[in-house]
Amino acid sequence: MGARLGQLAATAAVPVAVLGALALTLAGCGSQGGLTSAGRAPTAVGPVRLWPDLPPATNPPIDYGETDTERVPGIRVPDNDVHRVDPVAVVQAEVRTHGGARSGADGLYEETARAIGACTTDRAHCPILTPYYRDLTGNGRDELIVGIRMPDQQVGVRVYLAENDGLTRIMSTVDQVISVELAGRDLIMRVSSAGIPGYEYRTAWSWDEQQHSMLPARDEIVRVKPPGSGATLVPAPAFVSPTPTPSAGTPAPAPSEAGP
């Protein structure tokens, strides 16, 4: 019995010794620079609703046509492959249908519409820029991206989706473009700001499955002139082509520099 008690006492002494050593170790760490306070954290401030009694709007805002889509008439797309269609023929088909439109998704300057009609015989002065291809909808197939040079340094940008062996235009906009870029599945446009010198607008157009179109999902105003740099001159817009996604075995096309 006495031997058993002695064994238990020896066993109990081991954890006590370990705890003592651990305490010494922690004390040593503290003397060599342990965790220190960074001070009081700022108080979190949640959103505050202003004018909570203001009744909600009952009329929708003005429709700017961002969700307008249209089937391109007379264009067949074998196997829903946009690489197999002629971008010039696509835009010409739209001009034949809406050649008189001067505003909206189909709006073109009269001289631009005439130049597009002559693209078949006069490619050197064709305002339709080199096409680019990218899967913007996430369906596993490329969409067709077309740029159209217009007067006053403006560029029309249109995107087409191949479906049901035809072509649907899912985006159309015209602006005084500084650059057009592709980032993942977003098409980003940098546009001059006439009303706020020294700034530019950047809009990311993204595919919206519910609307079945490209929408301006993110829009921001960005300062491009450093403070105190003197007079502000907005950079002259120039279309900067995004990196192409050519079909397999086809070299990447060089951006066209031909004007309208």
Side-chain angles (χ1 to χ4, degrees):
M1 183 69 176
R4 185 178 180 84
L5 290 175
Q7 183 181 3
L8 290 173
T11 304
V14 174
V16 173
V18 172
L19 289 174
L22 180 60
L24 290 174
T25 302
L26 292 176
C29 289
S31 64
Q32 296 177 5
L35 297 176
T36 58
S37 173
R40 295 186 59 184
T43 303
V45 179
V48 178
R49 181 179 178 184
L50 305 184
W51 308 295
D53 297 329
L54 191 68
T58 56
N59 295 324
I62 299 174
D63 179 15
Y64 290 99
E66 290 97 337
T67 62
D68 291 348
T69 61
E70 182 180 84
R71 190 79 164 178
V72 182
I75 299 296
R76 288 192 65 257
V77 187
D79 300 322
N80 290 325
D81 182 4
V82 292
H83 295 268
R84 300 178 64 178
V85 300
D86 180 3
V88 171
V90 171
V91 180
Q92 285 179 333
E94 293 183 316
V95 170
R96 284 193 296 270
T97 305
H98 305 287
R102 297 293 175 259
S103 62
D106 296 292
L108 292 171
Y109 288 88
E110 183 177 353
E111 55 266 45
T112 304
R114 286 199 305 269
I116 290 172
C119 280
T120 305
T121 56
D122 187 8
R123 289 272 181 161
H125 297 91
C126 181
I128 301 175
L129 299 167
T130 301
Y132 287 88
Y133 305 88
R134 176 67 66 92
D135 181 5
L136 298 175
T137 64
N139 64 0
R141 300 189 305 270
D142 284 340
E143 275 69 60
L144 170 64
I145 306 169
V146 173
I148 306 171
R149 287 189 185 273
M150 298 187 186
D152 300 324
Q153 297 179 319
Q154 295 190 76
V155 175
V157 178
R158 300 183 179 185
V159 178
Y160 301 89
L161 165 69
E163 56 184 358
N164 303 320
D165 294 327
L167 211 57
T168 302
R169 190 180 66 203
I170 58 175
M171 172 186 167
S172 179
T173 187
V174 178
D175 225 318
Q176 196 176 47
V177 169
I178 296 173
S179 72
V180 180
E181 303 165 357
L182 288 172
R185 285 166 51 191
D186 289 344
L187 190 150
I188 302 173
M189 295 182 61
R190 296 173 54 209
V191 176
S192 298
S193 170
I196 314 178
Y199 290 78
E200 67 182 29
Y201 298 110
R202 293 181 188 173
T203 304
W205 291 77
S206 305
W207 169 251
D208 186 281
E209 184 68 36
Q210 181 175 339
Q211 295 297 325
H212 201 70
S213 68
M214 299 283 289
L215 298 182
R218 294 181 300 282
D219 205 354
E220 60 181 344
I221 301 176
V222 181
R223 185 177 181 87
V224 294
K225 167 186 168 264
S229 60
T232 297
L233 293 176
V234 176
F239 187 82
V240 179
S241 301
T243 302
T245 307
S247 57
T250 303
S256 171
E257 296 298 331

